[in-house]
Amino acid sequence: MKKKKPVRTCVGCEVEGDKRALVRIVRTPEGTVELDPTGRKNGRGAYVCSYDCLETVLRRGRLERALRAPLSPEDKERLREAWQTLFPEAQAGSSR
Ligand SMILES: [Zn+2]
């Protein structure tokens, strides 16, 4: 199969989507891991389609594998918070 345009695949549910439907998570050259909603940051990236999938990949260590970077509990917490800042409506189960 030829690769024509890059297809992004969610590391959680493996759904394929176009670049805009998935949110990029990047490991920056500085070694930090962050959400990259613009998709333009340098570094190794992985994509997730929803907060559920973010949770899944964080819990199962799939994100670490995809990014080839160990994630501390603080890193994971930061990603969750960043996601909830980006998509406040996705905040499930939080009573604040
Ligand atoms: Zn997904």
Side-chain angles (χ1 to χ4, degrees):
M1 279 219 290
K2 282 182 191 171
K3 273 189 184 175
K4 280 189 178 173
K5 57 179 177 180
V7 175
R8 315 295 176 179
T9 305
C10 172
V11 288
C13 61
E14 292 177 0
V15 145
E16 289 180 355
D18 92 287
K19 208 175 164 182
R20 260 170 268 158
L22 299 171
V23 178
R24 188 167 184 248
I25 299 167
V26 67
R27 185 190 72 184
T28 67
E30 291 78 39
T32 61
V33 175
E34 47 195 73
L35 290 188
D36 176 22
T38 65
R40 287 199 216 122
K41 287 184 183 165
N42 285 326
R44 171 173 287 275
Y47 295 82
V48 292
C49 69
S50 66
Y51 187 75
D52 281 352
C53 282
L54 177 67
E55 269 299 325
T56 303
V57 300
L58 289 178
R59 277 204 221 110
R60 298 192 185 166
R62 284 203 210 166
L63 186 60
E64 288 161 290
R65 235 175 297 149
L67 297 176
R68 296 183 194 163
L71 295 176
S72 67
E74 290 77 23
D75 290 329
K76 296 181 182 181
E77 205 44 49
R78 216 152 28 78
L79 287 174
R80 290 190 181 103
E81 279 171 16
W83 188 287
Q84 289 168 358
T85 303
L86 270 178
F87 308 107
E89 74 279 9
Q91 226 175 116
S94 166
S95 55
R96 251 183 64 182

